[in-house]
Each structure stands twice: as structure tokens, then as C-alpha cells.
Amino acid sequence: MTANTFTRAADYLNAAREMADSGRPTLARLLAEEASARTANPEDAARILAEFPGSSLQPED
């Protein structure tokens, strides 16, 4: 994957897993939240967030 070329939910999810594996849980959660937001199926989106537990790090509107 080319650096900074995130166009699909899968790109964000892969990066989230890489960050989690490298000991960066906060960045992993942020990337997982973006992957979840880009996922059309609500069940899949919930499953993504469940893989990276924690509170939402996105600012509230």
C-alpha cells in the first residue's frame, strides 16, 4: 500500500491493525472509527469498532 493512499474502508482497517500491532492503540482506534464510518453495512461497522475497543475519539458535532 502506498503511503497516505486511503480510499476504502479496508485501507483504514488494515492501517488500524498495523497500528494496533505496533503498540499504537489510540491511532488504531481513530483509523478504525474512520473505517467504520466508511462502511455501508451497520453490522460490519459495529464489528470493526468492536475489534478496537475504547471510547470514540472523534469530536462531537
Side-chain angles (χ1 to χ4, degrees):
M1 178 168 41
T2 304
N4 299 333
T5 305
F6 296 92
T7 58
R8 303 171 301 143
D11 297 327
Y12 287 91
L13 185 54
N14 289 337
R17 289 181 177 134
E18 288 178 19
M19 292 302 105
D21 290 346
S22 67
R24 297 179 177 129
T26 303
L27 183 52
R29 176 64 188 200
L30 281 171
L31 289 162
E33 288 178 13
E34 187 61 32
S36 176
R38 292 171 179 261
T39 301
N41 183 315
E43 290 176 2
D44 290 339
R47 205 170 5 259
I48 289 169
L49 292 178
E51 187 177 339
F52 300 89
S55 300
S56 176
L57 298 169
Q58 299 290 331
E60 292 186 28
D61 292 334

